[in-house]
Amino acid sequence: MKSMTGFGRGEARQESTSTTWVIECSSVNRKQLEVSINLPRDLNDLETQVRNQVSAACSRGRVSVSVKADRPIADDAMPRLDDTVAAKYLHDLRAMAVKLGMSQDISLSEIVRLPGVLVSETRETEVEEVWPVLQTALSAALKQFIEMRTTEGNHLREEMETRLATIESLAGKIAELAPTVPEHQREVLRQRLEKAGLPLPLDDERIIKEIALFADRTDISEELSRAASHLKQFRTYLASDEPVGRSLDFLIQEFFREFNTMGSKCNHAAIAHHVVAAKTELEKIREQIQNVE
């Protein structure tokens, strides 16, 4: 089992340009897989490859991938001053100043800000050359990222297993009390009849028929059986190496349905108390499932 939250960082060096590529992967909860990639502008053509590699490692969550280059500043990477363009600007600006009768004072800082005066000669990144290096850095980042997700997932599984054991115990207590519900109802009915001044023997056919109908309406054996089946299936999912978040989300809803039915069928204070306690544990498990891949 894996959590949907995690972080990983990977580096790889491109010797031809003395560049170290740094990739960071982080994720938060999402029902579906959503991959957000932040690449340098000249590497946008690699977005599909990066996305495919991330998608192969994750099935749910919003995964953010950041790609950065740590490269030395070389002499040929510094902007170059184009003397010809600067001189043309200066000549034309002075001619305009004379024509308009304005001052010809023009500073160097104003000249270098004009378009085309400073020219960048930085070598554009060769995508084919960079991808193998990025792939190495991304693999390292994803490895660390998955390890963190797995560690968090193990913590979630342990806590859910503890809560499942509590629910199993509560279901057992409900199963022990369930057969006593009809007898309890017969006693309640007898007391009501006595208070109403209509005492009847407990073996009266009408009372026996009423209790039989009540017992049929309050029978929760099917709900208990399905709850036991859900417990078994839940533990099977917890032990699986496959992504199980969606399956657990569906199963927990079925779990709630069984306990809700038990509570509505049995007009019994002790059973109602156990049902409420079980639903409290289920609610806590449901919150944890929202972070399971």
Side-chain angles (χ1 to χ4, degrees), residues 67-96:
V67 180
K68 296 179 181 178
D70 181 8
R71 55 165 62 95
I73 300 177
D75 292 339
D76 60 359
M78 296 297 291
R80 176 179 59 82
L81 181 64
D82 192 323
D83 298 344
T84 303
V85 174
K88 185 68 169 62
Y89 271 127
L90 183 61
H91 176 272
D92 290 349
L93 288 171
R94 283 178 173 172
M96 182 181 292

Side-chain angles (χ1 to χ4, degrees), residues 26-130:
S26 60
S27 66
V28 294
N29 299 1
R30 280 292 187 281
K31 288 187 176 181
Q32 307 295 332
L33 178 63
E34 180 183 336
V35 182
S36 173
I37 303 172
N38 183 14
L39 282 164
R41 186 173 57 184
D42 51 352
L43 293 180
N44 283 338
D45 289 345
L46 293 177
E47 181 173 339
T48 300
Q49 289 96 311
V50 173
R51 186 180 302 279
N52 290 342
Q53 191 164 339
V54 173
S55 299
C58 308
S59 63
R60 294 180 79 193
R62 185 181 191 279
V63 184
S64 298
V65 182
S66 171
V67 180
K68 296 179 181 178
D70 181 8
R71 55 165 62 95
I73 300 177
D75 292 339
D76 60 359
M78 296 297 291
R80 176 179 59 82
L81 181 64
D82 192 323
D83 298 344
T84 303
V85 174
K88 185 68 169 62
Y89 271 127
L90 183 61
H91 176 272
D92 290 349
L93 288 171
R94 283 178 173 172
M96 182 181 292
V98 171
K99 184 177 180 180
L100 299 176
M102 299 173 60
S103 171
Q104 299 183 32
D105 294 335
I106 302 171
S107 67
L108 180 61
S109 62
E110 292 172 326
I111 293 293
V112 297
R113 286 198 296 267
L114 295 171
V117 176
L118 286 178
V119 181
S120 176
E121 294 186 342
T122 304
R123 182 175 81 92
E124 289 195 7
T125 306
E126 295 291 339
V127 173
E128 296 79 6
E129 181 183 345
V130 171

Side-chain angles (χ1 to χ4, degrees), residues 2 11 20 24 29-30 48 58 83 87-88 109-110 129 143 150 181 191 195 204 214 222 227-228 252 271 275 282 284:
K2 297 183 182 68
E11 294 184 3
T20 299
E24 293 181 348
N29 299 1
R30 280 292 187 281
T48 300
C58 308
D83 298 344
K88 185 68 169 62
S109 62
E110 292 172 326
E129 181 183 345
K143 182 176 182 294
T150 302
V181 173
Q191 292 176 3
K195 287 182 180 180
D204 185 281
F214 178 82
E222 288 187 16
I252 203 71
I271 290 180
V275 166
L282 285 172
K284 292 175 181 176

Side-chain angles (χ1 to χ4, degrees), residues 163-178 220 224 227 231 259 262 270-282:
R163 297 194 183 283
L164 282 176
T166 301
I167 293 169
E168 188 173 34
S169 174
L170 290 167
K173 292 176 181 178
I174 293 172
E176 290 176 3
L177 290 169
I220 58 171
L224 287 168
L231 276 166
F259 279 100
M262 291 182 209
I271 290 180
H273 174 76
H274 294 321
V275 166
V276 170
K279 288 170 65 177
T280 299
E281 295 299 312
L282 285 172

